[in-house]
Amino acid sequence: MIFKFTIISDEKDDFLRIIEIDSEATFLDLHNAILESVDYEKNQMTSFFLCNDDREKGQEITLLEMESSS
């Protein structure tokens, strides 16, 4: 299965990235795909948040956790 993420920005109106990634990919793979799409270096600090159905932030997944789990 392929997951498709549409990424927009509150800061820049015309910013749009569409990332398609395999369902077996890790958060580190997603992190790298996002940074690659905007030509950022891969050492940028990022976080992902697991959210509930109401989009309330839950567990934070940070770059350090992503690197140590691979």
Side-chain angles (χ1 to χ4, degrees):
M1 177 187 313
I2 300 293
F3 289 130
K4 183 175 182 179
F5 295 91
T6 301
I7 302 169
I8 59 173
S9 173
D10 290 337
E11 297 175 8
K12 189 169 181 185
D13 291 335
D14 63 347
F15 182 88
L16 174 69
R17 295 291 186 277
I18 297 174
I19 306 287
E20 293 184 353
I21 196 162
D22 189 89
S23 62
E24 298 296 316
T26 65
F27 279 107
L28 183 58
D29 295 330
L30 179 58
H31 160 85
N32 289 333
I34 292 168
L35 293 181
E36 216 171 87
S37 78
V38 291
D39 293 326
Y40 283 4
E41 293 192 23
K42 296 212 170 124
N43 63 353
Q44 299 294 311
M45 286 303 299
T46 55
S47 292
F48 292 98
F49 289 90
L50 301 181
C51 298
N52 64 18
D53 290 340
D54 295 323
R55 295 187 180 177
E56 295 169 334
K57 287 182 185 177
Q59 177 186 354
E60 180 179 17
I61 299 168
T62 63
L63 182 58
L64 295 177
E65 287 176 12
M66 290 185 272
E67 287 178 339
S68 65
S69 65
S70 52

